[in-house]
């Protein structure tokens, strides 16, 4: 069994070059995983409650967080593509075409959009975005099956989904978005639009390259 010193030394080491998962502390459902997840969750809730009445800060914070997740996504793709045993773009799973990836594409419209466009983007963040954040926040099976929580890949995933959860809570607590703003039946479908839009390129890639983006192919 490896120790924390090993994890810190290999924080940026690709999974191909790490010890087997069963030798790593801090993988799925270990005390270290729960402790780190608890810290992230507490920070998200406290920050959302702190900023909910500071209306002038909300938009700049959203812009900064959106820029952060977008830059880190590029960094993660470059890191994954250049540090493993095989150097190259792993097209089968590394592209940002997953349900939670929609957050990066929806947030600019939630920040700068108007009317139904903004309502649609915020609607995604506060419905499917909220669900995706919670699922991956507590059950990060795509990362912690092979990495420890004390790794770049796991921390990136935790931070990304924590920002999603924070954005949702801030929107709802501050009144930036409300579920009750639906005025007619068609408004209930607005949160689906971002997902439907990303499903087009996702399925083009799926059926062209035999991949499973957005999990459409099970």
């Amino acid at each position: 069994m490896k120790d924390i010193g090993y994890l810190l030394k290999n924080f940026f080491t690709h999974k191909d070059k790490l010890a087997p998962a069963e030798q790593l502390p801090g993988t799925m459902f270990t005390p270290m995983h729960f402790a780190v997840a608890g810290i992230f969750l507490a920070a998200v809730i406290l920050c959302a409650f702190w900023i909910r009445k500071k209306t002038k800060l909300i938009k700049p914070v959203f812009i900064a967080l959106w820029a952060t997740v977008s830059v880190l996504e590029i960094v993660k793709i470059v890191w994954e593509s250049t540090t493993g045993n095989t150097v190259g773009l792993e097209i089968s799973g590394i592209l940002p075409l997953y349900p939670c990836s929609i957050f990066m594409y929806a947030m600019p419209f939630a920040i700068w959009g108007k009317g139904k466009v903004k309502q649609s983007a915020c609607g995604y963040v506060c419905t499917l975005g909220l669900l995706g954040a919670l699922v991956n926040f507590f059950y990060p099976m795509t990362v912690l099956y092979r990495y420890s929580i004390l790794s770049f890949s796991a921390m990136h995933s935790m931070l990304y989904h924590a920002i999603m959860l924070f954005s949702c809570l801030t929107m709802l607590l501050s009144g930036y978005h409300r579920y009750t703003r639906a005025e007619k039946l068609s408004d209930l479908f607005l949160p689906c639009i971002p997902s439907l839009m990303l499903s087009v390129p996702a399925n083009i890639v799926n059926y062209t390259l035999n991949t499973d983006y957005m999990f459409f192919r099970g």
Side-chain angles (χ1 to χ4, degrees), residues 164-205:
M164 287 179 66
L165 184 57
F166 167 82
S167 299
C168 172
L169 291 178
T170 300
M171 286 181 182
L172 296 176
L173 290 172
S174 66
Y176 192 94
H177 178 71
R178 296 186 188 279
Y179 295 125
T180 55
R181 285 182 181 154
E183 298 174 351
K184 50 188 177 180
L185 184 62
S186 60
D187 289 344
L188 297 178
F189 295 95
L190 289 174
C192 304
I193 293 176
S195 302
L196 291 172
M197 292 182 69
L198 189 65
S199 72
V200 175
N203 276 314
I204 290 174
V205 175

Side-chain angles (χ1 to χ4, degrees), residues 13 27 47 72 77-78 119 133 135 173 187 200 212:
T13 300
T27 50
C47 289
L72 284 178
I77 291 172
V78 172
Q119 191 175 342
V135 169
L173 290 172
D187 289 344
V200 175
D212 189 24

Side-chain angles (χ1 to χ4, degrees), residues 11-12 36 40 68-77 79-80 94 96 100-101 104 136-137 140 142-144 147-164:
F11 186 81
F12 290 101
V36 173
F40 269 89
T68 297
V69 297
S70 299
V71 170
L72 284 178
E73 186 70 18
I74 296 171
V75 171
K76 184 201 73 170
I77 291 172
W79 174 78
E80 284 273 6
I94 202 170
C100 290
S101 304
M104 289 188 298
N136 288 277
F137 201 75
T142 58
V143 178
L144 292 192
Y147 284 101
S148 166
I149 193 67
L150 292 183
S151 66
F152 170 71
S153 184
M155 283 295 177
H156 169 267
S157 179
M158 291 293 291
L159 179 62
Y160 187 99
H161 293 98
I163 289 174
M164 287 179 66

Side-chain angles (χ1 to χ4, degrees), residues 2-69:
K2 302 298 182 180
D3 57 16
I4 293 181
Y6 174 85
L7 298 179
L8 296 176
K9 181 180 178 181
N10 291 279
F11 186 81
F12 290 101
T13 300
H14 192 278
K15 60 180 179 290
D16 291 347
K17 301 176 181 179
L18 283 173
E22 59 270 17
Q23 296 181 20
L24 300 176
T27 50
M28 185 95 77
F29 298 149
T30 57
M32 188 184 298
H33 166 212
F34 289 130
V36 173
I39 292 170
F40 269 89
L41 181 60
V44 164
I45 294 173
L46 289 173
C47 289
F49 269 91
W50 176 79
I51 203 173
R52 73 189 191 283
K53 293 184 178 180
K54 303 181 185 300
T55 53
K56 291 183 179 180
L57 276 180
I58 291 175
K59 186 173 180 178
V61 167
F62 280 167
I63 294 172
L65 293 178
W66 169 69
T68 297
V69 297

